[in-house]
Amino acid sequence: MASITLKDLVKSYGDTEVLHHVDGQIIDGELIVIVGPSGCGKSTLLRMVAGLESVTGGEISIGDRVVNDLEPADRDIAMVFQNYALYPHMSVRENMAYGLKIRKISKAEINRRVEEAADILEIKQYLDRKPRQLSGGQRQRVAMGRAIVRDPQVFLFDEPLSNLDAKLRVQMRLEIRKLQQRLGVTSIYVTHDQVEAMTLGDRLMVLNGGYVEQFGTPIELYDRPATTFVAGFIGSPSMNFLPAKTTGTQAILRNQVALDLAGPLQGPVTIGVRPEHLREDPAGSLAVVVQLFEQLGANTLLHGHLDGTETEIVVSLPGHVTVEAGTVMRFAVPAEALHVFDAESGKRVEI
Ligand code: ADP
C-alpha cells in the first residue's frame, strides 16, 4: 500500500494543455474518485498515474518514489478497464494467472493467489470457463481478480462498470467498495457518474475542463460546494440557481422577492438551493408556477419557474403529490439551505 501525490501536474497534447496544474494527495488505503463530464481529463490523469501517458509538467509520486519516468510495469499498480480486456482464448484461471506468469512468479504461488482471489470474488466455480461463457458481471469480477492477484500498491479503475446494466452497476459498485475496504489498497476510480462517485469515494476530485474544481468528501461537496459547477454536478436533481443582487443582508431575486442571508454582502450573486431543501409553506417567500410533476415513488419532483421570472425551479417533495399545471405554490427556504456564489466567477461566497 502507498500514498499517491500529484504535484503541479500538467498534460499537453501538442500546444493544447488539457490538464492544468493538478495538485492532490491520496492517503494510503483511500479510494478517491475522479469525476467530471466527458472530456474533462479524467482518463488522461488516470493514465498518467498508470504510466500510459507521459507527464508534461509536475510530479507523480507513489509512496516516496517519483514515478514520472518509470515504466507502467515498474509502478506496482494494477488497472481495471471498462472493456475488461480479457483474453478470449484463455480460461478464467489463465486470465488471472497471466500477469503473474510473465513476472516469473512460482506456479504454487500463482495457484495460491488465484484461488484466494477467486474465493474473495466468489468466482471459484467459473475458473475453468472461457470469458465468453460468463455474464458481464462475472467478466467484470474476473477483471478485478486479475488486478487482485497482482497484490499491487495501487488499484486504478477506469469506468469499470459502464458496460453493465443499471441494476448490476449498483450491485458491483457495492462489491468494489467492500472489496477495496477489505483489501485496503489505495485506489483511484474514474467515472462520469456522480451517483457512483458519491457512493464509492472516500473523497472526490471534481474535474472541469482540466481544472480541479474541488477535492473533498462526498458530504463536503454536497454541503459546501466550492463552485456553481460542483453545486450543479453533485446532487440529483441538480441544485437550483437563482440570479440575485444583494443589499445588506438580503438577496433580491429577479421578481424583487428578498431572501435573508446569514450576513452582509455586496454585488451580484447566484443563489443556490437544492430541490430537496425547499419546504412547502403558504407563507413562504418563493412562489413557483408549477408546470408538471413527476412521481418517483418515494418523492415527487415539481418542475416550474419562479413566479414573475423565467428562472426554472425544481422542487422535490416527499411522498406522492399531484399538482395541476399552472398552480402557484409557495415554498420557504431555510437560511442555512442557501448557497451563495459570486455571479461572475461562480465561486462560493462565505458569509
Ligand atoms: P475524459 O476521460 O474526462 O472524458 P480525456 O482524459 O479522455 O477526458 O480527455 C481530456 C482532453 O484531452 C479532451 O479534450 C481530449 O480531446 C484530449 N485528448 C485526450 N487524448 C488525446 C490525444 N491522444 N491527443 C490529443 N488530445 C487528446
Side-chain angles (χ1 to χ4, degrees), residues 33-38 42 159 169 173 189-201 203-207 216-219 221-222 229-239 274-276:
V33 179
I34 304 174
V35 63
S38 181
K42 308 179 290 291
E159 305 235 13
R169 281 180 79 122
R173 108 185 157 214
Y189 188 107
V190 160
T191 180
H192 62 274
D193 179 336
Q194 62 97 6
V195 178
E196 197 164 290
M198 292 288 275
T199 52
L200 262 174
R203 286 188 299 152
L204 276 53
M205 178 182 276
V206 183
L207 279 188
T217 65
I219 294 306
L221 267 52
Y222 179 85
F229 179 84
V230 176
F233 192 72
I234 300 292
S236 177
S238 280
M239 186 183 277
R274 295 200 182 275
E276 57 274 31

Side-chain angles (χ1 to χ4, degrees), residues 9 17-22 39-41 207-213:
L9 211 54
E17 194 174 284
V18 297
L19 280 175
H20 318 287
H21 306 277
V22 171
C40 70
L207 279 188
N208 178 24
Y211 289 97
V212 178
E213 292 268 339

Side-chain angles (χ1 to χ4, degrees), residues 322-343:
T322 314
V323 189
E324 214 170 293
T327 307
V328 178
M329 290 177 75
R330 301 194 79 89
F331 298 92
V333 204
E336 66 275 12
L338 285 184
H339 302 260
V340 184
F341 303 96
D342 184 273

Side-chain angles (χ1 to χ4, degrees), residues 77-217:
I77 52 163
M79 199 154 170
V80 181
F81 295 96
Q82 171 183 146
N83 59 8
Y84 321 131
L86 300 178
Y87 298 108
H89 58 286
M90 290 186 192
S91 68
V92 167
R93 183 189 297 279
E94 287 162 344
N95 263 288
M96 284 167 70
Y98 185 70
L100 302 180
K101 228 166 157 181
I102 56 172
R103 282 178 178 76
K104 306 256 184 299
I105 291 175
S106 76
K107 231 175 174 170
E109 176 63 12
I110 293 178
N111 273 340
R112 190 190 67 74
R113 290 201 203 173
V114 169
E115 293 285 332
E116 187 182 298
D119 208 23
I120 293 172
L121 292 162
E122 297 174 9
I123 50 172
K124 263 191 146 156
Q125 63 274 41
Y126 312 124
L127 279 174
D128 296 316
R129 286 200 197 169
K130 295 272 165 52
R132 68 169 181 280
Q133 298 166 305
L134 301 176
S135 70
Q138 290 161 346
R139 276 181 224 169
Q140 187 55 61
R141 281 204 188 101
V142 177
M144 283 195 280
R146 206 172 35 182
I148 293 172
V149 294
R150 297 264 311 279
D151 193 18
Q153 291 202 65
V154 173
F155 284 140
L156 302 177
F157 296 94
D158 191 2
E159 305 235 13
L161 305 183
S162 44
N163 287 338
L164 304 178
D165 64 50
K167 196 168 169 204
L168 198 52
R169 281 180 79 122
V170 172
Q171 186 192 335
M172 290 299 290
R173 108 185 157 214
L174 287 175
E175 287 189 16
I176 290 182
R177 186 67 182 138
K178 275 195 278 185
L179 188 69
Q180 194 271 340
Q181 284 179 345
R182 172 169 171 182
L183 300 173
V185 177
T186 313
S187 302
I188 305 181
Y189 188 107
V190 160
T191 180
H192 62 274
D193 179 336
Q194 62 97 6
V195 178
E196 197 164 290
M198 292 288 275
T199 52
L200 262 174
D202 292 310
R203 286 188 299 152
L204 276 53
M205 178 182 276
V206 183
L207 279 188
N208 178 24
Y211 289 97
V212 178
E213 292 268 339
Q214 194 169 1
F215 189 20
T217 65

Side-chain angles (χ1 to χ4, degrees), residues 34-70:
I34 304 174
V35 63
S38 181
C40 70
K42 308 179 290 291
S43 303
T44 301
L45 181 52
L46 191 78
R47 290 169 59 81
M48 285 165 82
V49 177
L52 302 172
E53 292 284 351
S54 63
V55 173
T56 310
E59 229 171 59
I60 303 173
S61 309
I62 299 179
D64 45 21
R65 275 197 310 175
V66 176
V67 298
N68 284 31
D69 299 320
L70 286 187

